[in-house]
Amino acid sequence: MRQRPVIWKPRYATRRMRERAWAQADVRRDAKTRRNARRSFVAWLLRRS
């Protein structure tokens, strides 16, 4: 029988994992604000006319 490699998983998130999660959240937040800004600008233009 072949032995399977042991895959180590930390009990708590490592610093690298937390930093990656924060960076991904920042990207998602920025994308969301960009989408909302575009919509509100279009709504502003429509209200003016």
Side-chain angles (χ1 to χ4, degrees), residues 6-27:
V6 176
I7 298 173
W8 179 80
K9 276 182 103 174
R11 183 177 293 178
Y12 303 106
T14 61
R15 181 178 182 171
R16 172 86 173 119
M17 291 174 174
R18 287 193 309 266
E19 287 174 351
R20 265 190 88 195
W22 291 333
Q24 288 171 347
D26 284 342
V27 169

